[in-house]
Amino acid sequence: EALVHRLRDEVVPASIRGTDAQVHIGGPTAMAIDLADKIGGRLPIFMVGVIGASFLLLMVEFRSVFVPLKAALMNLLSIGAAYGAVVAVFQWGWMSGLLGTTTGPIESFAPLMLFAVLFGLSMDYEVFLLSRVREEYLRTGDNSQAVRDGIASTARVITAAASVMVIVFLSFLLNEQRVVNLFGFGLAFAIAVDATIVRLLLVPATMDLAGRANWWMPRWLDRVLPHLHSEESDAAAVESTTDDRLPATGPG
């Protein structure tokens, strides 16, 4: 990589200075370097765009500022853990003999593809869990109870779905192609971390500690954002809960 850049930036310009000659340095190595540079330059923009869009959609859906911020940070935690595990196994060679992988540089497009797939899967779990928690919160008005009930009703489903995907992605290690092994291991590791440490431990812990701040949103922002759920339905849910708590009157 250093040689290609030195040839293009120093050697070639100096050798053709004062002439009309044009010199291009190509080939598989130069193409791989150009692709890595282009992807590396656009990866931060891509990440900011995906995270920003997810933050906005979650804010509209759950009428909260804290919930989408927490979701974005937790998803980045899962993806960061996957990046670290992939580098440790496929670049540094940790457990390469056990997993049957070969060491070498990480393909330039791997971080981009892993981020896109993993962020989507993580957000899927997040929306599934938070929807149940919010339903309970609107029904009871008790944040701690809502978090407990939401986890209790979704934990088995999340764990089962994650287990299936982990097994499927680990089967990619049986393939002879290194890049297929890399994607399979990275996806399996990230989903395992996301469905256990993040989704069933860190998310409920932070939501329980945050209390009612989970569902706080400035009034001006609430008026600006579109409403996917009518306020009347939310109010009706709370009102029906209040009615259910009233002592029964009449016979029986």
Side-chain angles (χ1 to χ4, degrees):
E1 182 178 1
L3 174 61
V4 170
H5 287 302
R6 181 168 177 265
L7 289 173
R8 288 175 171 173
D9 299 336
E10 301 176 15
V11 177
V12 170
S15 62
I16 63 174
R17 188 176 293 117
T19 68
D20 296 331
Q22 293 184 358
V23 178
H24 301 279
I25 299 176
T29 301
M31 289 175 58
I33 293 172
D34 293 339
L35 179 63
D37 291 342
K38 185 160 290 189
I39 292 178
R42 284 162 175 72
L43 185 60
I45 301 174
F46 173 77
M47 288 183 172
V48 171
V50 172
I51 295 172
S54 302
F55 181 89
L56 181 60
L57 290 174
L58 287 180
M59 189 164 54
V60 171
E61 171 69 20
F62 296 107
R63 319 307 296 180
S64 168
V65 175
F66 179 81
V67 165
L69 179 61
K70 170 193 60 62
L73 294 177
M74 294 299 176
N75 289 346
L76 288 176
L77 178 62
S78 301
I79 295 170
Y83 283 172
V86 167
V87 169
V89 173
F90 289 87
Q91 186 166 312
W92 296 347
W94 294 8
M95 298 189 301
S96 59
L98 177 64
L99 297 176
T101 61
T102 57
T103 59
I106 303 299
E107 282 74 4
S108 58
F109 58 87
L112 178 68
M113 298 300 295
L114 283 174
F115 180 87
V117 177
L118 292 175
F119 203 89
L121 293 174
S122 298
M123 196 58 67
D124 185 31
Y125 289 145
E126 184 77 15
V127 172
F128 181 67
L129 171 61
L130 292 180
S131 297
R132 191 69 183 92
V133 173
R134 179 160 177 79
E135 288 176 2
E136 290 298 320
Y137 179 75
L138 292 176
R139 189 178 67 84
T140 64
D142 187 333
N143 180 77
S144 296
Q145 181 180 344
V147 172
R148 290 194 301 269
D149 292 344
I151 289 293
S153 60
T154 60
R156 291 183 179 180
V157 178
I158 292 176
T159 303
S163 300
V164 172
M165 284 194 289
V166 167
I167 294 174
V168 171
F169 288 133
L170 284 179
S171 68
F172 289 8
L173 293 174
L174 301 177
N175 193 281
E176 297 180 357
Q177 297 293 324
R178 181 177 182 273
V179 66
V180 177
N181 300 158
L182 187 150
F183 275 103
F185 176 80
L187 291 171
F189 187 88
I191 291 173
V193 171
D194 186 82
T196 54
I197 298 176
V198 174
R199 208 62 54 201
L200 300 181
L201 179 63
L202 296 181
V203 168
T206 54
M207 292 191 70
D208 187 66
L209 291 174
R212 297 180 64 89
N214 286 312
W215 316 110
W216 174 82
M217 174 178 282
R219 292 184 178 179
W220 65 268
L221 184 58
D222 185 65
R223 290 193 297 266
V224 171
L225 294 176
H227 290 263
L228 300 182
H229 298 289
S230 64
E231 294 297 332
E232 290 79 10
S233 62
D234 291 349
V238 176
E239 183 178 355
S240 63
T241 303
T242 305
D243 293 340
D244 292 340
R245 291 179 177 178
L246 294 177
T249 57

